[in-house]
Amino acid sequence: VTDSPWLPGYLMIAFVVAGALFLSVWLVIFQTSLLFPPIAAFPLAMAGALLSALLFYGLGRLLGADIVTRVAPQRVQVAVRGAGLESIIAVRVLPILPFTFVNLCCGAFGVRPAVFVGGTVIGMAPGILGMSLLGERLLAAMKDPTPESVGVVVVVAGLLLGTATLLRRRANRITPAGPSDPSPPPA
């Protein structure tokens, strides 16, 4: 499969399937970084994440707020309801909320498409870039496992995980639990 000219298409399908199964999009982003050099991994991962996000955004629009509020976690609803660009960027930079539920709620609660796409791209770009670079370094360390190459991978992975953990903890303290009424905002 890795030698197939269709590999980018398979990856796009993997992003959509991961979204449908409520799996972390970051697993597919990391896989992309292992299959392609950073110059190709970054745009492919961004395109796949955006494709998945837009499909579930559209599904949220189609289903509407009544249905989505019954299935989406309360924290996601609170974070997304009435969200502007800064809020969408924040939920993408700090991926503490389930990707697919964020997308569904954004569509169902009427987040403007330009705000949704812009926030998704701006918020996810730094993480996708970091993953793209980590994948290349990991492959280099596997091909030539010198102390330096392994050390670089350990340091980069540690920095990414440490930063993500700290940001997630901080966001968990800041994110409100939300009101007990999950009804959509008045029109």
Side-chain angles (χ1 to χ4, degrees), residues 55-69:
L55 284 173
F56 291 99
Y57 173 88
L59 182 60
R61 274 242 204 268
L62 183 68
L63 294 174
D66 289 341
I67 293 173
V68 172
T69 54

Side-chain angles (χ1 to χ4, degrees), residues 64-128:
D66 289 341
I67 293 173
V68 172
T69 54
R70 286 188 224 142
V71 297
Q74 184 70 27
R75 289 185 72 183
V76 176
Q77 294 179 45
V78 169
V80 170
R81 188 163 289 164
L85 182 63
E86 298 83 15
S87 298
I88 301 303
I89 292 170
V91 298
R92 296 306 192 194
V93 167
L94 303 171
I96 61 169
L97 301 174
F99 188 77
T100 302
F101 281 125
V102 168
N103 302 331
L104 287 167
C105 286
C106 283
F109 298 158
V111 173
R112 290 189 349 251
V115 168
F116 178 74
V117 170
T120 298
V121 170
I122 294 167
M124 292 189 76
I128 291 175

